[in-house]
Amino acid sequence: MTRDPIEDMKKCIRILIEDSDSSEELKQNALESLTDMCESIDLAQDFHKIGGYALLPHILQDQQQDIRWRAGEFMANLFQNNPYCQKAALETNLIPLLIDVIDNDPNEDPRVKALYAISCLTRGFPDAQKAFTTSDGFSVLMRAMESNIQRLKTKAAFLLRDFCIQELSNKDILCDMGMVEQLVGMLREEHSSFHEHLMGALLSVVTDHQRATQECARPEFELREILTERIAYLEGKEEFMEERQYAQDLLKICFTPENQEQIER
């Protein structure tokens, strides 16, 4: 007998949102089943059509962190490479809920997965990118990069880089917010593997953007000295070759004679 995946999804939704007596194990299994089924783009769309998005706020705010992080993973799975589901998520106003998890969840995994869901929701979807930035999304990314959660820091740097690559005007917003100075300031912290991703993000901000390069070249930021010292420190360290290249590229882009002339005027 052929199983009906729509009925299976409805059963999982009932377990997660209606059956208050469901055990945590049963709820986790139901969410894993939904995640597996919605690997199919068509079933991911059907999940919305049967009213499944009403479930999402509930599982994002569940008392159990194992449900909350699985909720973020499930949402990322729904949105990834699926314009229909991205649009539905935007219309359901899920971005503020995901931002709240990123900023305020007491556990690491739900925060990381919520940021992953934001990444999948905004990728290739300008309307969602705009909704995120107008919700002070860049400040969310900065707070994530300032956290002590390595995975969260790395994902935030990658997402910041993507936003700059996909939309040039985002670089103006970053300059207006003073985030160039904040990014440079983070490079002064004790060196870690995160600095490779931080350098990559900063490089994406300054590339083809004169205002950002001039900001970086301000003498009080001491970026030239930071980059020069970092290039020397990383010499011969194969595991940091990419970071060293980023530093060399930043030095080349930001400290041109033209930039120096503009600053000295």
Side-chain angles (χ1 to χ4, degrees):
M1 186 172 70
T2 303
R3 296 186 63 177
D4 183 349
I6 303 298
E7 287 304 314
D8 287 344
M9 286 196 289
K10 289 179 178 178
K11 180 180 178 181
C12 290
I13 292 169
R14 285 194 296 271
I15 290 170
L16 286 161
I17 200 172
E18 296 176 9
D19 297 343
S20 58
D21 295 331
S22 299
S23 69
E24 289 306 315
E25 182 179 3
L26 192 60
K27 289 168 70 175
Q28 288 178 28
N29 289 340
L31 192 45
E32 287 180 0
S33 295
L34 281 175
T35 302
D36 289 342
M37 284 187 279
C38 290
E39 290 280 353
S40 160
I41 289 178
D42 290 338
L43 287 178
Q45 294 176 6
D46 288 335
F47 175 76
H48 172 258
K49 293 172 184 177
I50 63 173
Y53 276 38
L55 167 71
L56 301 179
H58 293 274
I59 56 178
L60 273 178
Q61 299 165 341
D62 194 271
Q63 291 184 346
Q64 297 298 318
Q65 73 150 325
D66 284 343
I67 296 296
R68 296 198 305 276
W69 75 253
R70 284 183 169 87
E73 186 172 77
F74 172 52
M75 292 169 71
N77 199 54
L78 281 175
F79 309 149
Q80 192 165 31
N81 302 320
N82 196 328
Y84 175 95
C85 289
Q86 288 176 315
K87 185 173 184 290
L90 189 59
E91 293 171 347
T92 312
N93 202 30
L94 293 175
I95 286 177
L97 296 176
L98 289 166
I99 285 176
D100 184 62
V101 174
I102 296 165
D103 272 341
N104 299 314
D105 196 283
N107 299 105
E108 176 176 332
D109 287 342
R111 296 175 69 185
V112 173
K113 295 297 185 179
L115 186 55
Y116 176 40
I118 287 283
S119 175
C120 292
L121 173 55
T122 56
R123 187 174 301 128
F125 186 25
D127 288 349
Q129 293 167 20
K130 184 176 181 180
F132 181 68
T133 57
T134 55
S135 299
D136 203 20
F138 287 133
S139 294
V140 176
L141 296 183
M142 179 56 69
R143 290 192 291 271
M145 288 190 287
E146 291 172 340
S147 75
N148 59 3
I149 302 172
Q150 188 65 33
R151 290 184 299 153
L152 192 67
K153 291 162 71 78
T154 299
K155 285 186 180 296
F158 269 118
L159 188 53
L160 179 62
R161 184 178 179 180
D162 284 347
F163 269 77
C164 289
I165 291 171
Q166 293 182 55
E167 178 53 59
L168 187 63
S169 65
N170 285 329
K171 304 183 185 189
D172 293 316
I173 298 173
L174 294 173
C175 289
D176 290 341
M177 294 175 64
M179 281 188 66
V180 171
E181 181 176 3
Q182 290 178 276
L183 292 170
V184 172
M186 293 172 74
L187 287 174
R188 293 194 180 93
E189 298 171 2
E190 184 178 354
H191 183 256
S192 70
S193 59
F194 168 63
H195 279 198
E196 175 187 324
H197 309 296
L198 180 59
M199 288 262 198
L202 185 57
L203 183 60
S204 72
V205 176
V206 303
T207 299
D208 298 324
H209 197 267
Q210 186 177 24
R211 182 181 170 194
T213 61
Q214 289 175 357
E215 279 282 302
C216 283
R218 287 167 57 181
E220 62 268 32
F221 289 0
E222 299 179 336
L223 182 59
R224 186 200 294 269
E225 292 77 10
I226 293 170
L227 294 173
T228 302
E229 291 174 8
R230 186 63 53 84
I231 290 166
Y233 173 71
L234 297 179
E235 186 173 5
K237 297 181 179 179
E238 190 171 340
E239 68 273 27
F240 296 118
M241 283 179 59
E242 193 161 7
E243 181 186 343
R244 191 169 188 269
Q245 185 61 56
Y246 288 153
Q248 290 172 330
D249 291 343
L250 281 166
L251 198 60
K252 182 178 179 181
I253 291 171
C254 295
F255 297 96
T256 62
E258 293 79 10
N259 271 348
Q260 296 304 304
E261 285 179 14
Q262 287 288 338
I263 291 168
E264 290 167 5
R265 285 176 183 173

